[in-house]
Amino acid sequence: MWKVQPTEFLKRTLNPIRILWETNQPKGNPEIPNIYLQLGDPTIYGNFLPHSNCAKAISYAVLHDKFSYLESSGLKEAREAVAEYCKHMGNVTADDVFLTTGCSMAIETACRALANPGENILTPEISWNYTTWMNGVGIEARGYSLLPEKEWEIDLDHLESLIDDKTRAIVVNSPGNPCGNVHSKKHILEIIALAERNKLVIISDEIYEFFTMPNVEYHSFAELSENVPVLVCSGLTKRFLIPGARCDWLVVNDRGNKLENLRTGFRNAAGRNFFPNSSLQYALPSILRDTPQSFFDENNQKIYKNAQIVFNKLKSVKGLKSSIPKGSFYMLIGIDLNKFPKIETSLQFMQMLADEQSVFVLPSECFNYQGFIRIVLTATEEMLAEASDRIKKFCECYYEY
C-alpha cells in the first residue's frame, strides 16, 4: 500500500482562522435569518463597492491586453504608478516596487527574504495569521504583547525583551486587524527607535492604509523612518474594495541603502511568478490615478457610522466591553467570561451566539488570543443594528451577577 506522508512544510503551515472556523462551524438558528459578520471582505454585502473607474480600467485593459509574460517584478508602468501613489512615504521609485498576487504574498516574501529557518521574526500577539507564512518554512513567529488599555499600542518593553541574536525583523500592523488600532506618530517613532537600536528591519502591513475614523491621523512607518529599512506591504484589496483582484505590492523603503543586496533577492523571488495577472497590471495606473479622494472619504464615513450604530447598542450591555475603533473596519468586543459562567471561552461564545441568534462572528482564538469577538463593520446599517440587538439579547440570557 502507498503511504505518502505530508512534509514538515504541510504540517506546520496552519491558518488558524480557517482551521478554527471550518472545524467549529455552527449552523445557526433555522427560525431566524443568518447574519454573517466574520469575513473581512467588504464587498459581499453589496453596500461597499469599488469605484466605477475600477471596472472601466480593468475592462479596457482586458480588451487591449495581449496576455504576454511581463517583467517578473511587474509592469514598469504599473510599478511607476505605485511609486507615485506611495509618494507620502518619501522618495519611492519603480525600482523599489514589487507587484505581488495579494498582500499575503508580499508579507510572505518579506519574511522569507529576511529570515532563514531557525531564525525568528517578532509579530503582534493578537493579529492576523502571520504565523501561516513563517512556521511552514521553519521561521519562528515570536509574539509580542499589545496593550488593550492603551488602544492596542505595542508593549515596547515586552517587544524588546524578545529580541535575541536570531531575531531578524519586526512585523507591525497599523491600521490593525483585528484590533482596529492606529498607532500615533509618537508611538511609531518609539517603535522605529527600538528597531534602530537593535538593527532590525520593519515589515509594515499597511493593507488598511488611510482607512481611519474621523480626526484620526494615519502615518506610514516608511514615511517616518529615516534610518531603519521598512518593507511596506499593501495594495488594492481593502482601500479600493477589490479583494478578488489580487493585485498588491511590496515597497522597499531604504533611505540608507542597507538592503542593497536584498533587492537582487526580491527580483529573484519575483521570478517564481508571483506577480498579478497582466490585465490588472495594465489597469493599475488608471485605478490609482483616477479613483477620487471623495470615494475613500465616503467609505470612511460609512464605516464610522456603522461603528457608532454597534457601539451605541452594545455600550450598556453587561459583560461586554466595546469601543469605536480608530481604523480598519473591524470592532473587537471584549467578553468578561466571569460574568457568563456557562460559557468558558470566546470560541464557545461564538458558537452559542450563532446557534441561538444566527449571528456569526470570529472568536479571538482565531487571532491567538482569548476573551474577545471580532465583528466586521462593512455590513449594512440594518444588519448591524439587528445583529447588535441579538447579541444584547444573547448576553442578557447568560449574564449572571
Side-chain angles (χ1 to χ4, degrees), residues 135-308:
N135 292 348
V137 294
I139 300 170
E140 178 191 358
R142 188 171 290 183
Y144 61 79
S145 298
L146 302 180
L147 300 170
E149 69 276 12
K150 291 188 176 181
E151 298 181 311
W152 302 102
E153 284 190 351
I154 295 174
D155 184 337
L156 297 176
D157 291 334
H158 184 238
L159 173 64
E160 195 152 23
S161 73
L162 298 173
I163 298 171
D164 60 23
D165 60 356
K166 292 187 177 181
T167 305
R168 297 293 173 261
I170 304 170
V171 173
V172 293
N173 179 210
S174 174
N177 172 21
C179 303
N181 55 292
V182 178
H183 294 322
S184 67
K185 180 178 181 179
K186 175 179 178 294
H187 191 51
I188 291 174
L189 290 172
E190 291 172 339
I191 299 164
I192 291 172
L194 184 152
E196 185 169 9
R197 280 197 306 274
N198 293 279
K199 303 297 184 289
L200 296 176
V201 177
I202 291 175
I203 301 171
S204 188
D205 177 1
E206 299 183 11
I207 193 62
Y208 296 97
E209 60 187 359
F210 300 106
F211 233 127
T212 60
M213 301 303 172
N215 302 317
V216 175
E217 286 189 359
Y218 165 74
H219 294 282
S220 167
F221 274 74
E223 163 197 347
L224 298 177
S225 179
E226 295 183 1
N227 298 314
V228 175
V230 181
L231 303 181
V232 177
C233 305
S234 190
L236 299 179
T237 300
K238 306 297 183 180
R239 191 183 187 213
F240 289 83
L241 305 181
I242 44 177
R246 312 306 294 157
C247 186
D248 298 299
W249 49 79
L250 170 68
V251 177
V252 180
N253 188 282
D254 181 23
R255 299 178 190 181
N257 207 29
K258 298 177 177 67
L259 303 181
E260 181 179 3
N261 295 333
L262 209 60
R263 291 175 187 273
T264 300
F266 282 131
R267 283 190 286 271
N268 293 342
R272 298 174 67 233
N273 295 328
F274 64 71
F275 51 79
N277 74 71
S278 56
S279 296
L280 262 297
Q281 294 190 53
Y282 283 117
L284 191 56
S286 177
I287 293 173
L288 296 179
R289 181 184 63 243
D290 300 331
T291 303
Q293 181 61 39
S294 59
F295 170 77
F296 306 119
D297 295 340
E298 289 169 7
N299 287 332
N300 286 3
Q301 284 292 336
K302 287 166 65 177
I303 293 294
Y304 180 58
K305 185 176 181 180
N306 284 356
Q308 288 180 307

Side-chain angles (χ1 to χ4, degrees), residues 76-91:
K76 184 178 181 181
E77 290 82 355
R79 290 186 286 114
E80 288 174 340
V82 173
E84 175 64 21
Y85 172 77
C86 294
K87 61 185 178 182
H88 61 284
M89 299 180 189
N91 185 26

Side-chain angles (χ1 to χ4, degrees), residues 14-43:
L14 304 174
N15 185 325
I17 295 178
R18 294 292 181 182
I19 292 173
L20 258 176
W21 185 251
E22 291 171 5
T23 58
N24 297 276
Q25 179 70 270
K27 299 185 182 302
N29 185 338
E31 297 182 1
I32 50 179
N34 293 340
I35 299 178
Y36 298 100
L37 302 177
Q38 75 275 35
L39 187 61
D41 181 344
T43 67

